[in-house]
Amino acid sequence: MDRTMNPRLARLDVLVGAWELTATIDDRVMSRARTTFRWQGDGGLLAQRTDPQTFLVPEWEGAAPEWTETVIGVDDYSGAYTMLLSDARGVGRVYRMAFDDDRRWTMTSRPGEDFHQRFEGTVAADGATIDGRWEASSDGRTWATDFAVTYRRLDR
């Protein structure tokens, strides 16, 4: 089936491929894993799979999911992105997502009773790295960095 991809979804093509994902707190490596983005079917959805960690500090065992899967889509009317996440712990989340022309990538979870989460990252001009951070809040107003994250492209 030949189909024209929504141009807003096509801008996510920079994510497609294999990456090493490293999480840090205060420059201390907390975990490392491989994550892969790929188009599903004819390119209407972008899927991400993060495999079990190749490195994990003991204090993150049980808190960091063994694997995660996400699917990203875009609404052709509003242009809004949505990411659905599931992981090995049985967690399911919905994120509002943005990816602008400056390669700034943001995600915000749906508000929870006492758990709010957001991500902000920037894709380097050469597409080889993404530097970002996850933030958490108990009230949705006061935010603190949970951990920093770096994606390093493996397939170029």
Side-chain angles (χ1 to χ4, degrees):
M1 173 181 188
D2 188 22
R3 164 186 173 302
T4 302
M5 183 182 289
N6 182 309
R8 289 188 55 83
L9 195 58
R11 78 171 55 152
L12 301 181
D13 201 47
V14 68
L15 299 175
V16 172
W19 300 82
E20 179 182 66
L21 179 58
T22 303
T24 59
I25 296 177
D26 297 328
D27 296 324
R28 179 181 177 213
V29 174
M30 304 302 284
S31 73
R32 193 170 277 124
R34 180 184 172 102
T35 192
T36 304
F37 290 87
R38 64 176 175 76
W39 291 113
Q40 286 193 318
D42 60 359
L45 297 169
L46 183 64
Q48 177 188 13
R49 167 77 184 193
T50 302
D51 296 325
Q53 293 88 2
T54 57
F55 173 79
L56 182 67
V57 295
E59 58 265 39
W60 268 27
E61 287 181 26
E66 185 176 326
W67 56 263
T68 62
E69 291 188 351
T70 70
V71 177
I72 302 167
V74 66
D75 179 80
D76 64 349
Y77 178 75
S78 68
Y81 296 100
T82 299
M83 174 188 274
L84 303 175
L85 173 138
S86 67
D87 71 27
R89 303 169 297 179
V91 169
R93 294 201 178 116
V94 177
Y95 293 90
R96 287 188 325 267
M97 191 182 109
F99 197 91
D100 66 27
D101 291 331
D102 293 328
R103 296 184 176 199
R104 185 172 166 260
W105 180 18
T106 60
M107 292 180 274
T108 305
S109 69
R110 49 65 180 126
E113 202 169 303
D114 61 357
F115 179 76
H116 304 262
Q117 188 179 45
R118 65 186 183 189
F119 169 83
E120 182 175 327
T122 303
V123 180
D126 65 2
T129 59
I130 303 168
D131 290 313
R133 71 182 179 282
W134 281 97
E135 297 179 327
S137 171
S138 61
D139 62 10
R141 292 183 300 276
T142 305
W143 293 88
T145 298
D146 199 5
F147 57 92
V149 63
T150 300
Y151 293 73
R152 186 179 55 82
R153 186 172 289 282
L154 296 173
D155 57 359
R156 278 198 183 172

